[in-house]
Amino acid sequence: MSAQLDAYLAELARHLQASPAQTEEVLREVRSHLECAALARADRGDEALALALADFGDAATIGRGLRELYGRATWAEAGLMALPMLLFGGLAGPIDALPGAALAIFLLAAMLAWQRGWPAWWYAWLGWLPFLLPSHPPGKAWLVLAFLALILMVLPRGWLRATLVALPLPTFWAFDRLVMSHWFVTASGVARSSPMLLAVFSLFWAGCLVALVRTRPGGRQALAALAALALSQAPHAVVWAVARLQFPLPESLDYILNYSLPYVLVNGGKYILFLSLAAIPAGAELVRHIIHRLPGWRSAIIR
Amino acid sequence: MADATRDFRKRSTTVLLLSLLAERPMHGYQLARELERRSEGFFEFKEGTLYPALHRLEQAGLLSSEWEVVAEGPSRKVYRITDRGRRALADAASEWGTFARKLLSIIEGAP
């Protein structure tokens, strides 16, 4: 009986992917349940535990349900989440040239996700939909509204899924404004985009995303999400600094007032808006987590 | 139709668990038995699926739990409803009540 129970718990732990302390707590509770259930069927002799296990459900399903609370994404899931970042983000050159192919890949992923009951990795793809639509209104206001609607729609399914949906917005903006806008300066002094640097940036963004989803759930993961969003901006700072070093801006007050300042205010403002939108779900989760951990009377006051 | 019923049952898990725990603290196995007994098998589900729901409610601050050492038999993690859980239950019960009344008034009025 014990070997069968141990095998079941080991399989549950494998699907749970949680910290050792969380795993131990969950397994202790499940063991207790199964022992109670087997005791209640003591009259069935050797069959008792098998019947209890059958009524409890398979370890993979229960483990997946609990993993959403305590576990982290598997490497395969993290890879599936990072894939659209590489396909539609910075490495988008070949796919940009074939919008139909990009949409076809997206629909293929949608079909796979539908078959698997819309798993968490799907939400990392969903956020790219606005950019893959064959036609859309001019300007960027529609993007903000589209993402706001997507975030609000997905938020009831969890802050991480809402963050995954929102991530393409600052990613797109980063590549659109800084990378695609020829901010790279070659050795010959000609400003142009570089496929190699695009690839490096894409991998860096994808790396931030993988690090986020591989962090264990809880307040730490919300903090990791905010850190990943902040860290993903590092390439901008590097590119901007390199560009400024190579081509220092004229320092006249007129130039600053008439060109630099409005440019920084308008584009910086838009970018901060996009980043803030992506940071809302993780920020809200972090605040919720902090309030939840406050002593009772303090959290009651805040609530 | 079977899918709709399954979806309906799934959505009602939260209010069912809160309702049972509003009466008295219980552990997972007890909750599973109570749900089965009171619904006469209507709320049939795999017992293990209760745990993600229980843990989610605990994380949301609607339930609290503590381990109870039993002299004979395995120790058990007992769940109890919190004040916040009681408020959430009152809201949910009111919503479900309205939903059921409106649904019945339409179904019974249908030719």
Side-chain angles (χ1 to χ4, degrees), chain A residues 237-301:
Chain A
V238 172
V239 170
W240 188 86
V242 170
R244 289 287 74 79
L245 280 173
Q246 290 198 318
F247 293 104
L249 291 175
E251 290 181 0
S252 75
L253 188 62
D254 270 358
Y255 188 90
I256 291 172
L257 288 178
N258 294 324
Y259 179 74
S260 301
L261 197 60
Y263 182 87
V264 168
L265 287 179
V266 171
N267 289 295
K270 276 184 197 169
Y271 190 59
I272 288 170
L273 174 69
F274 288 178
L275 258 183
S276 309
L277 210 56
I280 286 172
E285 171 64 13
L286 190 63
V287 170
R288 190 194 71 79
H289 198 79
I290 291 169
I291 291 174
H292 193 60
R293 294 188 80 138
L294 284 174
W297 65 271
R298 284 189 201 163
S299 58
I301 289 170

Side-chain angles (χ1 to χ4, degrees), chain A residues 96-257:
Chain A
D96 258 357
L98 295 165
L103 199 55
I105 292 172
F106 180 87
L107 292 175
L108 211 63
M111 276 175 62
L112 188 67
W114 174 65
Q115 277 181 337
R116 307 213 166 166
W118 306 112
W121 60 259
W122 160 246
Y123 295 87
W125 287 72
L126 182 60
W128 289 98
L129 181 61
F131 302 112
L132 300 177
L133 294 174
S135 64
H136 49 72
K140 298 284 190 292
W142 74 275
L143 262 182
V144 175
L145 292 176
F147 272 91
L148 196 59
L150 272 176
I151 292 170
L152 290 176
M153 214 166 69
V154 174
L155 205 51
R157 293 168 187 269
W159 71 270
L160 182 60
R161 290 176 184 201
T163 302
L164 290 174
V165 157
L167 270 180
L169 183 60
T171 314
F172 162 79
W173 188 248
F175 283 104
D176 185 53
R177 298 306 304 174
L178 290 178
V179 182
M180 297 301 186
S181 302
H182 312 299
W183 272 54
F184 292 117
V185 180
T186 61
S188 60
V190 179
R192 64 180 179 83
S193 58
S194 149
M196 191 191 75
L197 281 174
L198 286 179
V200 171
F201 278 22
S202 293
L203 289 170
F204 182 76
W205 276 78
C208 288
L209 175 63
V210 169
L212 155 64
V213 297
R214 289 285 299 165
T215 307
R216 291 207 166 89
R220 196 187 295 174
Q221 196 180 32
L223 204 59
L226 294 174
L229 271 172
L231 192 65
S232 61
Q233 307 316 305
H236 295 70
V238 172
V239 170
W240 188 86
V242 170
R244 289 287 74 79
L245 280 173
Q246 290 198 318
F247 293 104
L249 291 175
E251 290 181 0
S252 75
L253 188 62
D254 270 358
Y255 188 90
I256 291 172
L257 288 178

Side-chain angles (χ1 to χ4, degrees), chain B residues 28-71:
Chain B
Y29 179 68
Q30 241 176 332
L31 278 164
R33 293 279 68 79
E34 275 298 299
L35 276 175
E36 192 185 352
R37 187 181 66 80
R38 293 213 207 168
S39 70
E40 294 170 333
F42 180 78
F43 290 107
E44 193 187 345
F45 47 85
K46 292 293 177 191
E47 291 168 9
T49 58
L50 276 186
Y51 288 95
L54 282 169
H55 288 219
R56 194 168 284 118
L57 291 173
E58 191 178 10
Q59 279 191 358
L62 306 185
L63 300 180
S64 64
S65 70
E66 61 185 350
W67 282 93
E68 185 183 85
V69 180
V70 183

Side-chain angles (χ1 to χ4, degrees), chain A residues 25-26 28-29 32-33 35-37 39-41 52 54-57 61-62 65-66 68-70 288 292 303, chain B residues 27-29 32-33 45-49 51-52 54-56 58-61 67 73-77 79 84:
Chain A
E25 173 83 4
V26 168
R28 186 179 170 202
E29 187 175 16
S32 152
H33 181 115
E35 284 174 353
C36 282
L39 275 175
R41 294 173 176 88
D55 277 353
F56 196 78
T61 308
I62 312 300
L66 287 163
E68 294 206 358
L69 295 170
Y70 301 118
R288 190 194 71 79
H292 193 60
R303 280 180 202 127
Chain B
H27 55 84
Y29 179 68
R33 293 279 68 79
F45 47 85
K46 292 293 177 191
E47 291 168 9
T49 58
Y51 288 95
L54 282 169
H55 288 219
R56 194 168 284 118
E58 191 178 10
Q59 279 191 358
W67 282 93
S75 50
R76 297 146 176 180
K77 192 174 180 185
Y79 291 90
R84 202 171 158 203

